[in-house]
Amino acid sequence: MYDFHTHTFLSDGVLSPVELIRRALVGGYKAIAVTDHVGLGNIEFVVKTLVADCKMATNRWDILALPGVEITHVPKDDIDLAARTAKEMGAKLVVVHGETVVEPVEPGTNDAAIRSRWVDVLAHSGLITPDEARLAAERGVRLEISAKRGHSLANGHVVRVAREAGAKLVLDSDAHAPADLLTPELCRKVARGAGLDDDEVEYLLDNNPRELLVQLGVEHPSLA
Ligand SMILES: [Zn+2]
Ligand SMILES: [Zn+2]
């Protein structure tokens, strides 16, 4: 399993980064990105901490742990700067908290995320438009199928629009606690529930994450 969107007590999750990675490994993950919520003010603290802990875990254990961030409720015109800053400080993966239907995310956030060259994944993009999805396809920004309650309400819409636009999808837990981590059964159910057929599910859970990892330029024996 692969998961590109998780949280620790560096923001509003309950576990330390290393415990989250440990539990992911034991649960069968090959790779996990730890992506705590950031604004401009806490990027340095979060990224520095995650770089050290992810490196430690990845060196010793059979899992690839990637230091990341989730740029969350940042004004849309500062998203590019926040994303660039995170990458410059060592984040391997930048997620943007998209326009989920259950939070008052600033309109224009999806568009700003897709246009930033530093953003890898647009999380829970809510009622994303066909134009935005086409741009995401062109720019290689992944759209997310979310296993998280609330954010998952628009998964069916995201799948339909992404399919028409040719945008690539990833499935993430958005875990804040150990019980939120993915299992193979949950991955399949969420993917099927979002409207994917069997072939598309295989693609989503295997090809897509591997392709993203190649694009990020990361390697690890756990991926062999
Ligand atoms: Zn959160
Ligand atoms: Zn999140």
Side-chain angles (χ1 to χ4, degrees):
M1 282 176 291
Y2 308 86
D3 194 346
F4 298 98
H5 181 173
T6 65
H7 298 278
T8 74
F9 63 38
L10 296 181
S11 58
D12 58 349
V14 302
L15 299 180
S16 71
V18 192
E19 183 172 353
L20 179 70
I21 296 163
R22 181 72 201 164
R23 285 175 180 264
L25 165 68
V26 171
Y29 277 46
K30 289 177 182 292
I32 182 171
V34 187
T35 56
D36 276 299
H37 298 291
V38 295
L40 275 180
N42 67 337
I43 291 175
E44 184 173 4
F45 163 68
V46 166
V47 173
K48 260 191 185 169
T49 308
L50 291 178
V51 164
D53 282 353
C54 289
K55 189 175 171 197
M56 179 174 65
T58 296
N59 282 343
R60 297 292 186 185
W61 296 335
D62 192 25
I63 185 169
L64 173 64
L66 298 172
V69 293
E70 182 183 16
I71 296 171
T72 306
H73 287 283
V74 164
K76 67 181 187 331
D77 293 333
D78 290 317
I79 286 173
D80 184 62
L81 172 63
R84 194 186 77 205
T85 305
K87 283 273 167 91
E88 283 173 357
M89 287 184 175
K92 287 272 187 272
L93 184 91
V94 171
V95 176
V96 169
H97 185 92
E99 295 175 49
T100 172
V101 295
V102 293
E103 288 175 30
V105 177
E106 185 181 3
T109 292
N110 286 349
D111 183 69
I114 292 162
R115 289 179 189 281
S116 171
R117 60 177 286 212
W118 314 102
V119 172
D120 304 294
V121 175
L122 175 57
H124 42 69
S125 55
L127 300 177
I128 185 170
T129 68
D131 282 347
E132 287 165 348
R134 272 192 291 275
L135 196 60
E138 259 172 56
R139 301 184 60 88
V141 174
R142 268 53 174 188
L143 303 181
E144 183 190 71
I145 297 177
S146 179
K148 185 141 195 267
R149 278 180 200 84
H151 296 331
S152 59
L153 287 168
N155 281 345
H157 171 82
V158 172
V159 161
R160 186 174 57 79
V161 172
R163 194 188 271 137
E164 279 164 19
K168 294 201 169 120
L169 295 164
V170 285
L171 186 148
D172 295 326
S173 70
D174 203 346
H176 287 67
D180 302 334
L181 288 171
L182 299 169
T183 63
E185 296 71 29
L186 182 65
C187 289
R188 282 195 159 61
K189 284 180 183 168
V190 171
R192 292 301 306 266
L196 297 180
D197 66 28
D198 282 335
D199 287 348
E200 288 173 319
V201 170
E202 283 317 303
Y203 228 84
L204 172 75
L205 300 180
D206 195 48
N207 301 55
N208 285 7
R210 286 174 175 278
E211 209 178 272
L212 176 54
L213 291 168
V214 168
Q215 195 177 309
L216 295 172
V218 290
E219 286 181 349
H220 192 263
S222 71
L223 305 175

